[in-house]
Amino acid sequence: MAYITHKKREDIGLSPYELKFRGKRKAEAVRIRVIDFDLESVRETEVKETEELRRYLNSDSITWINVDGLHNSQLIRDLSEIFAIPGDILSDVMDPSSRPQVEVFNNGFFVSMKMMRVSENKRTVSVNNLSLVVMNRLLISFQEEKGDLFDPVRERIRNHKTKIRISGSDYLAFTLMDVVIDNYIYILDAYGEKVESLEERLILETNREMLRIIDKFRRELSNLRVDIKPAKEMVMGLVKLDTDFIQEENRRHYKELLDNINQAVDLLDYYREVLYDDLNIYHSSMSTKLNDTMTLLTIFSVIFIPLTFIVGVYGMNFDNLPELHWHYGYFIVWGIMVLIVVVMIVYFRRKRWF
Amino acid sequence: MAYITHKKREDIGLSPYELKFRGKRKAEAVRIRVIDFDLESVRETEVKETEELRRYLNSDSITWINVDGLHNSQLIRDLSEIFAIPGDILSDVMDPSSRPQVEVFNNGFFVSMKMMRVSENKRTVSVNNLSLVVMNRLLISFQEEKGDLFDPVRERIRNHKTKIRISGSDYLAFTLMDVVIDNYIYILDAYGEKVESLEERLILETNREMLRIIDKFRRELSNLRVDIKPAKEMVMGLVKLDTDFIQEENRRHYKELLDNINQAVDLLDYYREVLYDDLNIYHSSMSTKLNDTMTLLTIFSVIFIPLTFIVGVYGMNFDNLPELHWHYGYFIVWGIMVLIVVVMIVYFRRKRWF
Amino acid sequence: MAYITHKKREDIGLSPYELKFRGKRKAEAVRIRVIDFDLESVRETEVKETEELRRYLNSDSITWINVDGLHNSQLIRDLSEIFAIPGDILSDVMDPSSRPQVEVFNNGFFVSMKMMRVSENKRTVSVNNLSLVVMNRLLISFQEEKGDLFDPVRERIRNHKTKIRISGSDYLAFTLMDVVIDNYIYILDAYGEKVESLEERLILETNREMLRIIDKFRRELSNLRVDIKPAKEMVMGLVKLDTDFIQEENRRHYKELLDNINQAVDLLDYYREVLYDDLNIYHSSMSTKLNDTMTLLTIFSVIFIPLTFIVGVYGMNFDNLPELHWHYGYFIVWGIMVLIVVVMIVYFRRKRWF
Amino acid sequence: MAYITHKKREDIGLSPYELKFRGKRKAEAVRIRVIDFDLESVRETEVKETEELRRYLNSDSITWINVDGLHNSQLIRDLSEIFAIPGDILSDVMDPSSRPQVEVFNNGFFVSMKMMRVSENKRTVSVNNLSLVVMNRLLISFQEEKGDLFDPVRERIRNHKTKIRISGSDYLAFTLMDVVIDNYIYILDAYGEKVESLEERLILETNREMLRIIDKFRRELSNLRVDIKPAKEMVMGLVKLDTDFIQEENRRHYKELLDNINQAVDLLDYYREVLYDDLNIYHSSMSTKLNDTMTLLTIFSVIFIPLTFIVGVYGMNFDNLPELHWHYGYFIVWGIMVLIVVVMIVYFRRKRWF
Amino acid sequence: MAYITHKKREDIGLSPYELKFRGKRKAEAVRIRVIDFDLESVRETEVKETEELRRYLNSDSITWINVDGLHNSQLIRDLSEIFAIPGDILSDVMDPSSRPQVEVFNNGFFVSMKMMRVSENKRTVSVNNLSLVVMNRLLISFQEEKGDLFDPVRERIRNHKTKIRISGSDYLAFTLMDVVIDNYIYILDAYGEKVESLEERLILETNREMLRIIDKFRRELSNLRVDIKPAKEMVMGLVKLDTDFIQEENRRHYKELLDNINQAVDLLDYYREVLYDDLNIYHSSMSTKLNDTMTLLTIFSVIFIPLTFIVGVYGMNFDNLPELHWHYGYFIVWGIMVLIVVVMIVYFRRKRWF
């Protein structure tokens, strides 16, 4: 399903500074997890009171605050106050149906995009909004519910004394977005495999079931596109972003994001096109099949209709029907009928009907 | 219905300074409502004489003058004189079929766009032209008839000592446009729900009724697009507008408008595309159904046509038709016919016809 | 008909300075009308000798010289000499099949576009080339034949002491182009009404006549587009034109032209799209109709074919055909046939065939 | 045929400085013709030895050297040496399948485009590559074979003491390109006439022959587009070319080329679109025809199938078939059958089947 | 097959500095070949230890190091260390599914694109990733497996004392990319020949086999496009690249690459369009064929159905059926039937059914 939460009438006309949750509540309780790290050490805690977060404000370490669940407006308001984030930005955070966007503010920048996850049973794709507020040595990520794609990133922070430990919050933000976009490609690849397996069956099995599958895939790809396409614009805006909060040496990575999202959009368009072709082929194949059917019917009809007429003629009960009394009448009729059949078959052969 | 008032022949060649109403009269009498407010207080009045408006010209408070009904040219001319608005701008105000546009003049700027409202019975969408003239601490809005989408905004002005009270006429204009665009999305969402409910019925019920619904929705979305698409250009022009009458701190909100209108256009294109797909699927499903029908007909025909011929043969009345006198003739014929049926059925099974 | 005069072979390779008429002669004699006006007075004359025009060259009044008929090369050459218009510009004037364009020269600028007029009987649209040469206080308009859209403008000059009297030749040129573009919209509106009236009949009357109408409208709109679309580019060029011959205060009006031509192109694309949709719907409706027809045929055939076979069996003349001698044989056969019919009907009902 | 010479494997990996002919040899012998002219006189010669060309290098007159046939690499190498043309430019000259392009070099610029000519019998269009090397007072044109479109230009040089005699090699180059583009339009016009004559026959004669013609025209227009479309980009590059070798006063003419090529591309797209519409209409018309056929079949079948069944019933030979012995049995059966026919006809009339 | 290696789940979230091979291992062992040359001499060696490469670091000669096989991360890490190539660039080298790209780094630039090769049997096209790292007097090329398109280039280095020997690593890189792009065109040409040979058979042989071929070609061209289209963007980036590592005199060649890749994309789009047309024509031809079939069936049915009914009437066994006893009854019936046939034939002739 594309991420389309239907706008509620009562939300229209709200001030952009109104901190009201405008989505569908997915998480039960809000959870705040903090990973605070520098080159030397990593500290992970789960915070209950927002006040505890104040100490990360000007610390020397890099701090990643992850908020799962957006429905607690008071909490959001507290964050706004502690970290001096403008109200209209947090208002966007609380509207999960908003378009992927990037915005600069006084002491940082804000990015939002859709995060897609394949469910456990590998059948459905869940779509959630991800908001990143990037400030100096501080990254706050907002998610709609628990469970995300970022465990590999957490592992990298924990285990390696690598670049991620020393490269600032902008690099961390890049890493998270990179994971999200890589997952787009991963999901599209999964579709790709299914779509390609369709190819081989297409001309052989032209039936309603095939039509249903093509239709289903097209809808699902259309849905994905609603979420992925605007992310491209967002990344393009990000690359050109005029802000000091992206370090010069990390800009290169942001350009790489653009390459990745372009690849995702390319794939998407490619598979959509393939399915469009498939529908065309389905249609042509269907009309070929109809043709074959009608050709068979026509051949049979055209051959037997005159024969049936002839035998009807000699089934008439006229008192005076001379042929009936001819000694070889019956056999002559057979002869004529065989002749007709032969002529017909030769005719259809010539016309290459079979 | 798209907002297309058919141009009248006599209007062609009019001077752009001619203040003549070029639409269809919708309001009975012109009504002028004024909301005048500052941080401290809000004053609402309904004005009868345009002269009364002169005192808002240089007041320190923010004034929102709302005019319902455009057919009184004298009134418009008075406004032009009192507030020094160029004649060609007011001429655009009086032409409700004009394209959404933005224009700068000496002491302010002018914006027009289509305002859509769902009717009470939720069945039809009415489209009206909305014109906003934004000047220093003054906003004049022109509407074609009474009744609009702005009651929530009026509430916000009345009830809250908030940003809207202190942010100037440009912020107020933003708020109004935001409401209009949010309503586009609201209306499109409503279509979306209907379109999506169509999906499930599509392959099952391929009939004329379904075709009529798809056709109806496509037309309605095409109509909406005629009004919404040019609004996007208008907002893009607004964002890049070179005028002092938009305060630097409010420019960010105007950019948000662009995000919103982009979302509306995305939705519109998405649903149009879905309906286009639906029509394709309908078509393919219809040809599949035809195929099934013809397959059934062909199987029946191909099996029974030869049988009917055979029984016809032995219905002939020839004096000399030896088989008729065989003792087991009748049973032999039945045997042959059963054989033919079996062969046919095996043949069709092999060809996977059923 | 789109304005496509088929290029003649002998015209290829002509010098751009060659003043040769390259169109189809439409006017019988060339007619030159002059309207010379200032705020105080208006003087209209018809000129026979081109030399008479020389006195308008540096007059203080504004002069509009209108030339109907382009086939007199000598006259054109004279104008070129009197008003110092470059040869290649007048060469473009004399090629009515040239694309709408705008060009600057030393002492003015040149604009050409297609002028469309609905004929008296309101059935056909005639297309003519209109060329405007705008110089200081002087406008020369060239038309292919007598009769144009500009009578309302002439009225405005004659009757009102208004802006048009004092605003220079660039404003006059704007007025003329405005009339031409308004007429595009007027003509498109007329098509619009016809196209919309088609909608209601479309699904009900799916027949060859409907196809012919859709086809006709599409062709006509395609034709209009050939002439209107390039006008948009022309107006865009005009707005950005780097010339002193458009006064700063009139530039705004030229931008308005762009709005108008954009509206025309929007309408055009909208109606073309509607017709494209109509063709799709026609096609789907046709295949639905075919389906209904074939369903009826199949139901009848499938029910009666076995019955006809059965009565054929008992029409056979075998000496030994025991059932014929059963006392209730005939009634048993009827029973069997009724049973078959009932089973068939239940089957088709279940399958929702009717 | 589009100008697509299939790349030869052995040519891949060649140095861009390798002067090797990469096309299909069309001319038998290379011919070099020189037209050397100034305002006073014109001298035409045919040159055998390339060395003779050296004297035109710094002459005051304007020189047009025309080379027919490209397969003589030695000659090309000599030209490169005499006129100091860079090797990679001449290498492009020798690859006639290269894309239309424009390139600047030290002492001039280089243009290539496809030249189309209608054959004598007016049936086929031949496509050749034309390369122009424009230097100070010197133009070298390279063609693949003898015979070109430029005789009118040669005439203009010979006969008139006009602009072409004094305007430099850039003006001469413009003239040649103008002729080539005018010929595009001439050829497209010829197609246009054929396409338009198709319109009237389309709905009346929906048959295989019509399909073949539409198909043929579409292919041919697609072919033309392969050659014409890139020429547009080339001319756009030419207009913006940053070179001293186009005189300021001649730039205007180059802009005119752009207008012309735009017109050609417009025409091309217009006719392609018309043909696409035609195919759609053909398709819809075909399905309308099928519908008519099947309606006829169904009416006949649905009326006669029950009748045939009835007469079959009374053709059965049961000993005990009471109706057979009724005195008016035969006439009652006729009555019933007539009733059935009447009911059917009324039914189909009501349903507007005929 | 398009170059789509399905992303592995475990690769998501990897650091861009992680040197891990992300493709499918194609080469058995990594092979490093070095061609080191200056104007005077050429030295070719195969290197086993990466340390041996260190001596080419600052040599005066031009060095081309070619690495076949990417799965040895240690080797890549060594190269990174020896030649000071940033880790994230080599990480891109090791991800063969990455999009064609160009990137600048401190002491050089990096280019990647897909290299296509026709297999020996000329049936399949293999696609491999090619990465070029261009530094001062040094070019490192990375390929996925042994065997490439560059033997002609090696020949040119070995045999000729030409430009390639003295023009630096940027010219060498140009040469390699030129070969790759020329091969795109070569492959597309091969498709082109097949597609064009299809044309002639299309309308004659409208059958399932034809559909299968069209479908196959479309898929293959879609696949090619996935690899070729992004290469165009890459080359466009290359042309505008702001780096000192492309010498001014060689920039011209890079522009030529753009011409070539544009030609490739043009060809691709052209053939795709032709195939799309073919499918349309196939479809229309199929429905024409169906029409012909059904017309034949309908003519036969409509003629014989009434006749069969008539003979059925006189096959009834009513005791009282007067016509049976008329002396000329039988012949009168024949007369009536002949009359019906004649009328029918005339009717169908008139309607131009045959």
Side-chain angles (χ1 to χ4, degrees), chain D residues 1-2 4-9 11-18 22 86 88-89 92 97-105 205-208 211-212 214-215 218-219 222-223 225-226 230 233 272 276 279 282-283 285-287 289-294 296-297 300-301 304-305 307-308 310-312 314-318 323-331 333-334 337, chain E residues 117-119 122 149 152-153 156 160 163 171 174-175 178-179 182-183 185-186 189-190 192-193 195-196 199 202-204 206 249-250 252-253 256 259-260 262-263 266-267 270-271 273-274 276-278 280-281 283-292 294-295 297-298 301-303 305-306 308-309 312-323 344 347-348 352-353:
Chain D
M1 258 308 297
I4 299 172
T5 52
H6 296 297
K7 244 192 169 61
K8 275 163 278 172
R9 197 143 212 193
D11 285 351
I12 297 178
L14 279 185
S15 158
Y17 291 91
E18 180 91 23
R22 293 161 204 221
D88 57 341
I89 287 210
D92 280 340
S97 74
S98 74
R99 232 174 159 246
Q101 56 182 296
V102 57
E103 214 167 313
V104 176
F105 57 93
E205 299 172 49
T206 313
N207 55 32
R208 201 168 289 273
L211 183 60
R212 207 168 293 172
I214 295 175
D215 184 34
R218 288 207 73 190
R219 285 187 195 285
S222 286
N223 279 340
R225 204 170 61 137
V226 170
E233 283 173 50
R272 275 171 51 88
Y276 183 80
L279 195 60
Y282 175 88
H283 204 75
S285 178
M286 199 43 110
S287 86
K289 201 171 161 183
L290 180 62
N291 235 315
D292 292 351
T293 308
M294 296 323 289
L296 182 68
L297 176 60
F300 257 81
S301 299
F304 278 103
I305 282 176
L307 303 188
T308 303
I310 288 170
V311 301
Y314 296 104
M316 290 196 290
N317 299 318
F318 282 102
E323 296 96 313
L324 293 180
H325 310 298
W326 298 354
H327 194 254
Y328 296 108
Y330 175 59
F331 305 100
V333 165
W334 262 119
M337 294 196 302
Chain E
R117 271 188 313 148
V118 178
S119 68
K122 299 207 171 192
L149 302 161
V153 179
R156 268 166 64 196
H160 307 289
K163 198 163 161 43
Y171 185 80
F174 151 73
T175 307
D178 194 37
V179 168
D182 268 7
N183 233 60
I185 297 175
Y186 174 76
D189 278 347
E193 271 177 36
V195 168
E196 269 158 32
E199 286 189 29
L202 189 64
I203 293 188
L204 296 173
T206 313
E249 62 193 84
N250 285 335
R252 185 168 65 200
H253 297 300
E256 216 165 286
D259 268 353
N260 285 354
N262 272 335
Q263 193 173 10
D266 281 4
L267 268 180
Y270 171 67
Y271 286 126
E273 199 173 82
V274 166
Y276 183 80
D277 287 5
D278 283 355
N280 265 335
I281 293 291
H283 203 75
S284 289
S285 178
M286 198 43 108
S287 87
T288 307
K289 201 171 161 184
L290 180 61
N291 235 316
D292 292 351
M294 296 323 289
T295 300
L297 176 60
T298 300
S301 298
V302 165
I303 289 177
I305 282 177
T308 303
F309 165 71
V313 166
Y314 296 105
M316 291 196 289
N317 298 319
F318 282 101
D319 291 352
N320 179 15
L321 205 167
E323 296 96 313
M344 291 285 186
Y347 173 83
F348 286 124
R352 288 154 142 284
W353 280 39

Side-chain angles (χ1 to χ4, degrees), chain C residues 4 14 47 98 107 120 124-125 131 158 196-197 204-205 234 265 278 280 299 309 313 318 320 322 344:
Chain C
I4 298 172
L14 280 185
V47 167
S98 73
N107 45 345
E120 297 295 312
T124 58
V125 173
S131 304
R158 284 181 205 123
E196 270 159 32
S197 78
L204 296 173
E205 300 172 47
M234 184 276 281
V265 172
D278 283 355
N280 265 334
I299 290 173
F309 164 69
V313 166
F318 282 102
N320 179 15
M344 290 286 187

Side-chain angles (χ1 to χ4, degrees), chain D residues 228-251:
Chain D
I228 292 180
K229 205 106 193 205
K232 182 175 167 179
E233 283 173 50
M234 184 276 282
V235 175
M236 278 163 62
L238 196 58
V239 164
K240 288 180 290 185
L241 206 65
D242 181 25
T243 174
D244 293 340
F245 292 88
I246 302 179
Q247 300 167 61
E248 214 43 56
E249 61 194 86
N250 285 336
R251 289 219 171 247

Side-chain angles (χ1 to χ4, degrees), chain B residues 103-319:
Chain B
E103 213 167 312
V104 176
F105 58 92
N106 245 350
N107 45 345
F109 64 94
F110 162 71
V111 171
S112 85
M113 67 197 304
K114 304 298 168 207
M115 179 167 63
M116 290 180 193
R117 269 190 313 149
V118 178
S119 68
E120 297 296 310
N121 58 14
K122 299 207 168 192
R123 284 299 181 78
T124 58
V125 173
S126 71
V127 186
N128 286 300
N129 200 47
L130 170 71
S131 304
L132 302 177
V133 175
V134 186
M135 292 181 289
N136 189 23
R137 311 189 73 71
L138 183 73
L139 171 79
I140 312 181
S141 59
F142 295 90
Q143 304 185 35
E144 289 181 79
E145 56 179 339
K146 282 168 198 163
D148 59 24
L149 301 162
F150 301 143
D151 287 333
V153 179
R154 291 191 187 95
E155 277 308 300
R156 267 167 65 196
I157 295 176
R158 283 180 205 124
N159 298 340
H160 308 288
K161 289 196 177 179
T162 50
K163 199 164 159 43
I164 201 166
R165 286 273 193 86
I166 53 167
S167 298
S169 53
D170 54 343
Y171 186 79
L172 181 58
F174 151 73
T175 307
L176 299 184
M177 287 186 277
D178 194 36
V179 168
V180 170
I181 294 173
D182 269 7
N183 234 59
Y184 291 171
I185 297 177
Y186 174 76
I187 288 167
L188 288 168
D189 278 347
Y191 270 102
E193 272 178 34
K194 287 187 210 156
V195 169
E196 270 159 32
S197 78
L198 212 67
E199 286 188 29
E200 290 140 34
R201 295 166 53 197
L202 189 65
I203 294 189
L204 295 173
E205 299 171 48
T206 313
N207 55 33
R208 201 168 288 272
E209 181 54 25
M210 192 58 62
L211 183 60
R212 206 167 293 171
I213 294 175
I214 295 174
D215 184 33
K216 179 169 153 281
F217 282 173
R218 288 207 73 188
R219 287 189 192 283
E220 289 177 353
L221 283 178
S222 285
N223 280 340
L224 291 180
R225 204 170 62 138
V226 170
D227 295 323
I228 292 179
K229 206 108 192 205
K232 183 176 166 180
E233 283 173 51
M234 183 276 282
V235 175
M236 279 163 62
L238 196 59
V239 164
K240 288 181 289 185
L241 205 66
D242 181 25
T243 174
D244 293 342
F245 293 88
I246 303 179
Q247 300 167 59
E248 215 41 58
E249 61 194 84
N250 286 333
R251 290 220 170 247
R252 183 168 65 199
H253 297 301
Y254 280 81
K255 268 181 207 149
E256 218 164 285
L257 283 184
L258 193 55
D259 268 353
N260 285 353
I261 191 79
N262 273 335
Q263 192 173 11
V265 172
D266 281 5
L267 269 179
L268 196 52
D269 287 343
Y270 172 65
Y271 287 126
R272 275 171 51 88
E273 199 173 82
V274 165
L275 283 172
Y276 184 80
D277 287 5
D278 283 356
L279 196 60
N280 265 335
I281 293 290
Y282 176 89
H283 204 74
S284 289
S285 178
M286 199 43 111
S287 88
T288 307
K289 201 170 159 184
L290 180 62
N291 234 314
D292 292 352
T293 307
M294 298 323 288
T295 301
L296 182 68
L297 176 60
T298 301
I299 289 173
F300 257 82
S301 300
V302 166
I303 289 177
F304 279 102
I305 282 175
L307 303 189
T308 303
F309 164 69
I310 288 171
V311 299
V313 166
Y314 296 106
M316 290 196 291
N317 298 319
F318 282 101
D319 292 351

Side-chain angles (χ1 to χ4, degrees), chain D residues 143-167:
Chain D
Q143 305 184 36
E144 289 182 77
E145 56 179 339
K146 282 169 197 163
D148 58 26
L149 301 161
F150 301 142
D151 286 334
V153 179
R154 292 193 186 93
E155 276 309 301
R156 267 165 64 197
I157 296 175
R158 282 180 204 122
N159 298 342
H160 308 288
K161 289 195 176 177
T162 50
K163 199 164 160 42
I164 202 166
R165 285 274 193 88
I166 55 168
S167 298

Side-chain angles (χ1 to χ4, degrees), chain A residues 116 118 125 181-196 220-221 224-225 228 260-272, chain E residues 4 6-7:
Chain A
M116 290 179 193
V118 179
V125 173
I181 294 173
D182 268 7
N183 233 60
Y184 292 170
I185 297 176
Y186 174 76
I187 288 168
L188 288 168
D189 278 347
Y191 270 101
E193 271 178 35
K194 287 187 210 157
V195 169
E196 269 159 33
E220 288 176 354
L221 283 177
L224 290 181
R225 203 171 61 138
I228 292 179
N260 286 353
I261 190 79
N262 273 335
Q263 193 173 8
V265 172
D266 282 4
L267 268 179
L268 196 52
D269 288 343
Y270 171 66
Y271 287 126
R272 274 171 52 87
Chain E
I4 298 171
H6 297 298
K7 243 191 173 58

